[in-house]
Amino acid sequence: LEVMPALGKVDAVVTDPPYGIKQDKGFSGAGGFSKPVARREYKGGWDGERPSVDTIHNIIDMAEIHIIWGGQFFADMLSAQGRWLFWDKCMTMPTYGDGELAWTSLAGNSVKQFTYNGNGMQAKEKGRVHPTQKPVALMEWCFGFLPDAETILDPFMGSGTTLVACAKLGRKGIGIE
């Protein structure tokens, strides 16, 4: 909230805010686990609360085009839109979910699916540094929906995969964490 007003408008926002589902200390009952499974990379504090309504609205004001992962957790703060993105994770191990949803302000009303295993034993990308890190390939796929977006903002940068995808595709990326 402090940094974004100084930036001015950007071409697009692509981000993955904390969902506020309080899974930062592990999960139980999911994927066959009966007791909490701790995340080795982080010791909590990354998913305790979701962003405020003001934060979400300020993010929306930053651009005309948006892709917000975990959009179902912010549906009460976002306008009804027809184009959702779905990442099929091809999960081979217990996880929080078999896939993830992104709310968008993209034109159209069809759901688009990306199939990519970015986690577990069959992962195409190894060495994650954050429990909810998105694969670079997923971010590159998202940018395919933003052909004219030169400057992309990620106000919840996390491990920086959005910015890595920007660099790989010759886009300008701004990250805030």
Side-chain angles (χ1 to χ4, degrees), residues 3-163:
V3 174
M4 285 192 303
L7 299 175
K9 296 276 187 182
V10 295
D11 298 317
V13 174
V14 179
T15 194
D16 184 29
Y19 302 161
I21 57 176
K22 299 182 180 20
Q23 295 297 311
D24 53 337
K25 308 233 180 344
F27 62 98
S28 61
F33 286 111
S34 60
K35 61 183 180 179
V37 176
R39 294 293 191 178
R40 70 178 186 275
E41 297 94 345
Y42 278 27
K43 298 294 183 199
W46 50 267
D47 190 39
E49 295 182 26
R50 68 184 188 158
S52 69
V53 172
D54 287 341
T55 300
I56 294 294
H57 289 175
N58 285 335
I59 289 168
I60 297 301
D61 289 343
M62 291 297 298
E64 296 297 319
I65 302 170
H66 317 85
I67 297 175
I68 301 177
W69 286 97
Q72 73 272 25
F73 298 110
F74 314 110
D76 60 323
M77 302 181 201
L78 298 165
S79 64
Q81 298 292 135
R83 169 115 338 140
W84 284 76
L85 303 181
F86 175 70
W87 168 29
D88 176 1
K89 296 180 179 183
C90 304
M91 292 310 301
T92 59
M93 298 181 70
T95 182
Y96 296 120
D98 294 333
E100 295 192 29
L101 294 169
W103 174 91
T104 79
S105 59
L106 299 168
N109 59 10
S110 62
V111 174
K112 297 297 181 185
Q113 178 176 320
F114 181 74
T115 302
Y116 187 87
N117 186 327
N119 193 4
M121 293 175 61
Q122 303 298 318
K124 292 183 173 86
E125 296 178 22
K126 302 285 185 184
R128 290 184 351 186
V129 297
H130 191 282
T132 63
Q133 181 173 324
K134 301 297 181 274
V136 173
L138 177 66
M139 296 296 103
E140 291 174 331
W141 176 73
C142 289
F143 294 173
F145 295 101
L146 314 170
D148 298 325
E150 293 180 23
T151 303
I152 296 169
L153 170 65
D154 184 350
F156 295 95
M157 183 176 68
S159 61
T161 54
T162 303
L163 299 184

